[in-house]
Amino acid sequence: MNPFGRTLYPFGLLVWLAAFGWKACAAARAGDRLRREVDRLEGEVAALDRGSRRLEQLARESGAQARESEFLQGLPNILPEDKGYLRTQKAIGDEVSVLRAKVGKRLKGTLQIVVDAKANKLYVKKGLKLLWQADISVGRGGRLSDPKSGRKWEFVTPRGEFRVMGKGVNPKWRKPDWAYVEAGEPIPPPEDPSRLVEGELGAFVLNLGDGYLIHGTKSEELLGRPASHGCVRVGAADLEKLYKTVPTGTRVVIFE
């Protein structure tokens, strides 16, 4: 029996394990280098792809600019009478002048009230000529509902064409149901005398029908912005002028 057998066997095993470990590490390092090389190549391919797309985009933009330049150069050769859909600024101005002349002829100096609900302005015109203007307050918007009856009100000034149905001096306001609901008060019968309130509408009133009025206000500081429940509010001086200037039957146009 070899007395060194037990000693040499473990030593040989250690040598074999060391050699195997070195080869494994070398293989791992080679794998890392390969992965890095693959990543580098993929990055170069992506860069080339981005460059190709950018070149295509530049080519498209260049073509579009060339077509736009060609179109603009050809504009002077296109006349409005030849191409009805392409009108010059002069042609549009001529059309507006003709339209204004037709409107002026139709109105023939007729007195009318024009209300710009967006600007909160009232204009008094004779034909197309502006006589004077005033700051006003139209409907403030918003809604109110009666929790008991379920009725609802919307506080907007209607748009459209109306007529001055009638005029009055020192009018009394017949307080509507929504005013009681808004104040949290019980609603009285329709003909209850307590509904009549003095001084709320100013010294004069112009009736537009359907409950809408042109009247005065106690809050002239709010003129120029929407503040009413739907009527057109006017300052005291302008309201008196309006009452004296505008006869019953005058056309009223409210637009935005």
Side-chain angles (χ1 to χ4, degrees):
M1 183 175 180
N2 185 357
F4 301 103
R6 293 184 179 181
T7 303
L8 293 175
Y9 176 75
F11 178 76
L13 180 61
L14 290 174
V15 171
W16 181 85
L17 289 174
F20 179 79
W22 180 84
K23 291 181 179 180
C25 290
R29 288 194 297 272
D32 290 340
R33 287 195 298 272
L34 181 60
R35 281 193 295 272
R36 287 195 296 271
E37 184 65 17
V38 170
D39 291 341
R40 184 184 66 79
L41 291 174
E42 288 179 347
E44 291 181 357
V45 170
L48 289 173
D49 185 53
R50 288 193 299 271
S52 177
R53 288 197 299 270
R54 178 56 179 163
L55 287 174
E56 291 177 357
Q57 180 183 357
L58 290 173
R60 287 194 299 269
E61 291 176 355
S62 177
Q65 290 174 356
R67 290 191 297 273
E68 181 181 2
S69 176
E70 182 180 356
F71 172 75
L72 292 175
Q73 289 175 2
L75 277 180
N77 299 322
I78 302 177
L79 300 177
E81 55 267 28
D82 296 332
K83 301 290 184 180
Y85 58 85
L86 184 62
R87 300 179 298 164
T88 64
Q89 186 173 359
K90 182 179 183 304
I92 295 174
D94 292 343
E95 290 178 13
V96 171
S97 298
V98 171
L99 183 59
R100 287 180 62 86
K102 288 181 179 179
V103 172
K105 185 177 180 180
R106 178 185 174 188
L107 294 176
K108 296 179 180 178
T110 303
L111 197 67
Q112 61 177 333
I113 299 173
V114 179
V115 174
D116 185 340
K118 186 174 183 179
N120 283 275
K121 288 282 190 180
L122 180 146
Y123 305 95
V124 178
K125 293 186 173 184
K126 192 169 186 179
L128 295 178
K129 182 181 179 181
L130 176 64
L131 300 181
W132 55 277
Q133 66 185 52
D135 290 328
I136 60 171
S137 288
V138 298
R140 69 188 185 196
R143 296 180 179 181
L144 176 69
S145 59
D146 183 2
K148 294 182 179 179
S149 65
R151 287 188 298 167
K152 297 180 180 180
W153 297 270
E154 189 173 5
F155 301 130
V156 297
T157 301
R159 276 54 165 171
E161 184 174 331
F162 307 86
R163 295 280 174 179
V164 176
M165 308 295 291
K167 303 193 299 181
V169 180
N170 295 323
K172 292 182 179 180
W173 181 42
R174 182 173 292 277
K175 200 172 178 180
D177 290 354
W178 59 257
Y180 292 96
V181 174
E182 188 176 50
E185 301 173 353
I187 301 175
E191 301 302 323
D192 193 302
S194 66
R195 284 181 177 265
L196 296 178
V197 182
E198 295 184 355
E200 286 292 326
L201 303 180
F204 306 95
V205 66
L206 283 72
N207 182 10
L208 303 182
D210 294 329
Y212 293 99
L213 310 170
I214 298 177
H215 61 75
T217 176
K218 291 182 176 180
S219 303
E220 293 198 7
E221 70 277 3
L222 298 179
L223 294 174
R225 50 181 165 165
S228 80
H229 291 85
C231 292
V232 178
R233 296 180 182 177
V234 186
D238 290 321
L239 182 62
E240 181 177 2
K241 189 175 181 180
L242 194 63
Y243 176 83
K244 293 178 178 179
T245 303
V246 176
T248 300
T250 297
R251 178 172 176 257
V252 180
V253 177
I254 303 177
F255 75 98
E256 183 173 6

